[in-house]
Amino acid sequence: MTPTPHRTNPRPQATNAHPLRFGYGTNGLADLRLDDALALLADLGYDGVGLTLDHMHLDPLAPDVAARTRKVARRLDALGLGVTVETGARYVLDPRRKHGPSLLDPDPADRARRVDLLIRAVRIAADLGAHAVHCFSGVLPADPTHLANPADPANPAATADTAEDTAWKRLAEALTPVLDAATHAGVPLAVEPEPGHLLATLADFHHLRRILGDPPALGLTLDIGHCQCLEPLSPVDCVRAAAPWLRHVQIEDMRRGHHEHLPFGDGEIDFPPVLEALAATGYQALTVVELPRHSHAGPHFAAQSLPFLHRAARAIPAGAEGSTP
């Protein structure tokens, strides 16, 4: 596959003042064929799709993935849908380990498999005209001795610190070739802080950014629900703080201290101020509904989610949009 210029979404923009563009994640439509899922989202009025590369939806490991990608690109164009490529499929690399192997795995060959997947995702994203590729760090191995030999077995805290330092080095080393590919393709890599992962918070994202030397291709996936779940800042303040690095946004409801993606209205988030803050940043890529555990009723939740977001967005004052790319 060869990189292609980013496609401009031909779908007409909303007439209200806000610049936000809403999508829905295919990981919440896993029981639908991809073509049916894309048609559904277009019919419902979505601006785009968060496309999770998985065995049932554009398998990144399929021998004919290039031809499949071209077909999907044509379909997206015909439907007027923008796209972000997401890489959070649970078992696309290993049928026994959820999200395994990760970028932190003790086996270099396993880490290389995850790196290969991400580079494939970058190439697919370029051919689709996607605005970003999403990824996450993975969790620390359960046994810290996989990461470092404890210098002082009697000091578990020191062992844990050493293990975490090693994990950050592994993460940076693993992402370097992915960032090189993203730079070449002109598609940003948008790392997501994920609860329970090594990189779990906005502060962790900035730690990675400093380790890597702040490469231009490195951006942020901000999940609004995760902000409610565990960030010290409110979701509104998280959006404001993250603005310079925003390359992809995921959205759903959530409760403080509970990492459970909920339909809108089932959690604690006040969405109009969040969307107003997001519009004020000037962010123009997709804001994608993320309900990966609701595929059993995916069409229902897709139909319910967009009107909710439009109602919340209508509360944004005229002129709230900013100038951040």
Side-chain angles (χ1 to χ4, degrees), residues 17-23 220-224 227 235-252 270-288 309 313 316-317 320-325:
H18 75 84
L20 300 178
R21 300 168 58 226
F22 298 117
L220 174 70
T221 292
L222 186 70
D223 187 302
I224 302 301
C227 298
V236 168
D237 287 335
C238 284
V239 169
R240 292 169 178 157
W245 300 278
L246 278 183
R247 299 297 179 267
H248 181 44
V249 175
Q250 298 172 342
I251 194 165
E252 70 284 320
D270 183 13
F271 284 96
V274 173
L275 296 183
E276 181 178 350
L278 187 58
T281 70
Y283 174 78
Q284 296 176 6
L286 291 174
T287 298
V288 172
L309 290 169
I316 298 174
E321 61 193 87
S323 58
T324 304

Side-chain angles (χ1 to χ4, degrees), residues 15-223:
T15 56
N16 50 351
H18 75 84
L20 300 178
R21 300 168 58 226
F22 298 117
Y24 199 92
T26 59
N27 59 359
L29 297 169
D31 294 329
L32 274 66
R33 296 177 181 88
L34 180 57
D35 192 65
D36 291 338
L38 297 179
L40 170 72
L41 297 181
D43 287 346
L44 290 173
Y46 281 93
D47 299 294
V49 59
L51 175 56
T52 296
L53 303 180
D54 207 346
H55 64 91
M56 69 291 196
H57 290 160
L58 195 52
D59 185 350
L61 305 181
D64 60 343
V65 64
R68 293 188 188 191
T69 301
R70 289 192 294 270
K71 181 178 179 181
V72 172
R74 290 193 295 269
R75 186 62 170 152
L76 290 167
D77 276 327
L79 294 171
L81 293 173
V83 61
T84 304
V85 169
E86 303 200 2
T87 61
R90 294 182 180 97
Y91 297 101
V92 69
L93 288 179
D94 190 321
R96 294 175 176 84
R97 289 189 294 161
K98 179 183 175 183
H99 295 150
S102 81
L103 298 171
L104 308 178
D105 267 37
D107 186 344
D110 276 349
R111 294 199 300 276
R113 291 173 60 205
R114 177 62 60 172
V115 169
D116 175 70
L117 175 70
L118 294 180
I119 292 174
R120 287 170 179 261
V122 168
R123 293 170 180 160
I124 290 169
D127 286 351
L128 293 177
H131 71 257
V133 172
H134 148 279
C135 72
F136 44 56
S137 68
V139 301
L140 281 166
D143 182 358
T145 61
H146 284 315
L147 289 167
N149 293 320
D152 182 3
N155 188 345
T159 299
D161 289 344
T162 304
E164 189 163 311
D165 288 344
T166 302
W168 282 109
K169 291 175 183 176
R170 281 188 183 169
L171 179 61
E173 290 171 359
L175 285 179
T176 296
V178 184
L179 288 164
D180 289 344
T183 299
H184 176 73
V187 180
L189 184 69
V191 178
E192 179 189 8
E194 180 76 22
H197 284 212
L198 174 70
L199 197 158
T201 65
L202 288 174
D204 293 333
F205 167 75
H206 291 302
H207 181 60
L208 175 66
R209 192 169 58 83
R210 288 189 294 269
I211 293 173
L212 288 168
D214 201 13
L218 179 66
L220 174 70
T221 292
L222 186 70
D223 187 302

